[in-house]
Every structure is written in structure tokens, then in C-alpha cells.
Amino acid sequence: MAQNDISCIKVLGAGCASCHAQFENAKEAVKNMGLSVEVEYVTDLQKIMEYGVMSMPALVVNEKVVSMGKVLKPADVEKLLRK
């Protein structure tokens, strides 16, 4: 996936500390890569269930779940976004 193909990035979480950390790390990764994408923080359990996510935090790129159940460092988020 080319960097300019990324249209949306979401962090799914329950508002816990690790979910918030994932949100901050995702925003930092986007900034480091110079992407003009807004990182969305989704805490609505109904929406989270629609992604089939069982463990949080989860990272969603272009509506596809790319990571769940662990807090990724900004560098790890960048790796996923560069895939």
C-alpha cells in the first residue's frame, strides 16, 4: 500500500491508557511520515464490534484491521502504514 493510498486511520479503543497511547503513537507516526490523514479515535463499542475486534487497542487503516491487542510504537505504526 503506497503512503498516498491511505485515506483513513482509526484507533479503536475503550478509552483506556493503552488505547490512548496507541492513538497518540498513531498520530505521531502520521506526522513523522508527513501524511495528511486525520487519525480517528473510535470508542463506540457498537462500531468497534463491526470491525470484529476482540482485543483493544486496535489499529484500522483504510477500514482494514491491521493490529489488535497491543500498543504499537510510532515506528511500528509507520512500518504498517508503509506496507
Side-chain angles (χ1 to χ4, degrees):
M1 171 168 45
Q3 291 172 15
N4 54 5
D5 291 344
I6 298 173
S7 58
C8 79
I9 300 171
K10 295 176 184 170
V11 172
L12 312 182
C16 63
S18 55
C19 298
H20 195 73
Q22 183 61 84
F23 177 55
E24 292 303 323
N25 290 354
K27 285 198 298 190
E28 192 175 321
V30 166
K31 197 177 84 184
N32 291 346
M33 292 173 69
L35 297 175
S36 56
V37 180
E38 192 67 48
V39 179
E40 197 183 328
Y41 190 22
V42 180
T43 54
D44 182 333
L45 278 177
Q46 192 61 48
K47 284 184 181 156
I48 292 170
M49 294 304 285
E50 287 169 17
Y51 287 99
V53 168
M54 292 301 152
S55 53
M56 293 178 260
L59 187 64
V60 177
V61 179
N62 291 353
E63 299 304 323
K64 193 164 153 262
V65 177
V66 294
S67 164
M68 65 170 104
K70 57 185 184 277
V71 177
L72 300 172
K73 294 182 185 76
D76 296 326
V77 175
E78 286 182 44
K79 272 185 210 141
L80 279 174
L81 296 179
R82 287 202 167 100
K83 267 188 185 164

